């Protein structure tokens, strides 16, 4: 019987793999949060909000007052 056939070693390897997976998910989550925070520090989302509000309002006013 070799060491890799031992059930406790297999369970330990599964546990180690699950810890490594959780750590990688944690780092991915932190990186996404950092990207999101840095994105909201730029003017782009606020410009998009302003255009998203003003453009439909301007179109509605044009349709309302032109005919």
């Amino acid at each position: 019987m070799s060491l890799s056939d031992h059930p406790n070693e297999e369970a330990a390897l599964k546990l180690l793999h699950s810890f490594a997976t959780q750590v990688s998910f944690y780092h991915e989550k932190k990186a996404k949060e950092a990207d999101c925070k840095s994105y909201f520090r730029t003017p782009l989302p606020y410009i998009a909000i302003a255009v998203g509000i003003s453009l439909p309002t301007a179109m509605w006013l044009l349709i309302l007052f032109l005919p």
Side-chain angles (χ1 to χ4, degrees):
M1 186 162 128
S2 68
L3 287 176
S4 63
D5 294 336
H6 202 272
N8 288 336
E9 185 174 331
E10 290 175 8
L13 288 175
K14 283 183 181 180
L15 188 62
L16 185 63
H17 179 67
S18 67
F19 286 154
T21 305
Q22 286 184 357
V23 168
S24 68
F25 284 150
Y26 175 77
H27 287 300
E28 288 176 15
K29 182 181 173 187
K30 286 294 181 182
K32 287 179 184 177
E33 287 176 2
D35 288 343
C36 184
K37 286 180 182 178
S38 68
Y39 175 71
F40 279 108
R41 288 185 180 130
T42 65
L44 294 176
Y46 306 107
I47 292 171
I49 290 170
V51 168
I53 291 172
S54 63
L55 192 63
T57 305
M59 295 301 288
W60 181 76
L61 289 174
L62 282 174
I63 291 170
L64 185 68
F65 290 121
L66 281 181

